[in-house]
Amino acid sequence: MEDSFAEVDILELIKKNFVLLVAATLVFGVVAFAASYLLPNTYTASTSMYVLRQKNNEDTVKATGEELSYANTIAGDVLAIMNSSLVKKDVAEELGIGGLGGCSIATSNESSSRLVTLTVTGPDPELVAQVANSTVANTAKRAKEIMKISAINVIDEAVPAGGPSGPDHKRIGLYGAAAGFALAFAISFIRAAMDTRIRTGDEATKLTGVPVIGHFGEVEA
């Protein structure tokens, strides 16, 4: 069986099963693309904020390695608070929703910066923007209490999206096409590898090491 798999000519396999491979790719791609429109739309809203640290009168701001390290630390702490169940509970209570109303949040922070970005994705554009802005407000409140920072300044307030951000119909269609091609190729490969019939004199010579000295013609009954 291992020898059969090793001897399969991939290019010849593709040529022989070209129609099957193309058909499976097109059918799976079209079906996946069409099915993606049955999925619910999702909407995205983003907001960014800048974290100001609490300073004593004698503190001075210096662009030193220590200052940059502090920026990373404080931004990381704010991200942790933003993703905490405490803030999520505050948001749910403020908006009167269960959990986050089906919304998911993603946070990021640029290296050596106190700039924090929040992205919220969910089923309703208005709700997504409300969750984003409420999350920032409640994060600022909790961060001031816990970390004693001076403020979190909102740079870009989240606004309702003008259109859905997902699902990505083209990408789903491409995934479906790739799955169709892979399935058809796998079937063709296994079928070729398991086919032990000898069809030509060259195949017989290669298998036995004995040259072919003659052929029988096909005789009609």
Side-chain angles (χ1 to χ4, degrees):
M1 180 64 70
E2 291 182 359
D3 291 339
S4 298
F5 279 104
E7 293 176 0
V8 174
D9 188 329
I10 301 300
L11 291 179
E12 188 64 28
L13 178 69
I14 292 176
K15 291 179 182 179
K16 185 177 179 180
N17 297 277
F18 182 76
V19 174
L20 173 62
L21 293 171
V22 172
T25 300
L26 292 176
V27 169
F28 275 70
V30 170
V31 170
F33 181 80
S36 69
Y37 283 91
L38 300 177
L39 300 174
N41 288 333
T42 56
Y43 301 84
T44 300
S46 297
T47 179
S48 55
M49 64 214 78
Y50 190 80
V51 183
L52 300 178
R53 70 171 185 169
Q54 183 79 351
K55 297 186 293 184
N56 298 323
N57 293 332
E58 64 272 14
D59 285 345
T60 58
V61 178
K62 297 180 180 179
T64 63
E66 182 179 353
E67 180 68 19
L68 294 178
S69 176
Y70 180 82
N72 285 331
T73 300
I74 193 171
D77 291 344
V78 170
L79 288 177
I81 293 174
M82 183 177 290
N83 286 287
S84 68
S85 58
L86 181 62
V87 168
K88 292 177 182 178
K89 180 180 178 181
D90 291 339
V91 173
E93 291 178 352
E94 180 180 316
L95 300 179
I97 57 178
L100 292 179
C103 296
S104 61
I105 66 173
T107 56
S108 61
N109 162 242
E110 295 184 11
S111 178
S112 304
S113 170
R114 291 197 289 268
L115 184 66
V116 175
T117 301
L118 168 68
T119 302
V120 180
T121 302
D124 180 79
E126 295 287 343
L127 177 62
V128 165
Q130 292 173 3
V131 169
N133 292 324
S134 178
T135 299
V136 171
N138 283 285
T139 297
K141 181 181 71 175
R142 293 298 183 180
K144 289 177 184 178
E145 295 173 356
I146 298 171
M147 300 172 59
K148 305 302 180 183
I149 63 175
S150 56
I152 293 181
N153 295 339
V154 177
I155 299 175
D156 298 308
E157 186 172 304
V159 296
S165 58
D168 190 333
H169 305 295
K170 291 182 179 179
R171 178 173 293 183
I172 292 174
L174 289 175
Y175 286 160
F181 179 86
L183 179 61
F185 183 84
I187 293 174
S188 301
F189 185 88
I190 293 173
R191 186 172 59 186
M194 297 182 68
D195 186 357
T196 57
R197 291 176 295 177
I198 299 174
R199 293 183 173 83
T200 67
D202 290 339
E203 290 182 357
T205 299
K206 183 178 179 180
L207 180 64
T208 63
V210 178
V212 176
I213 59 176
H215 296 272
F216 288 101
E218 185 175 345
V219 179
E220 296 184 2

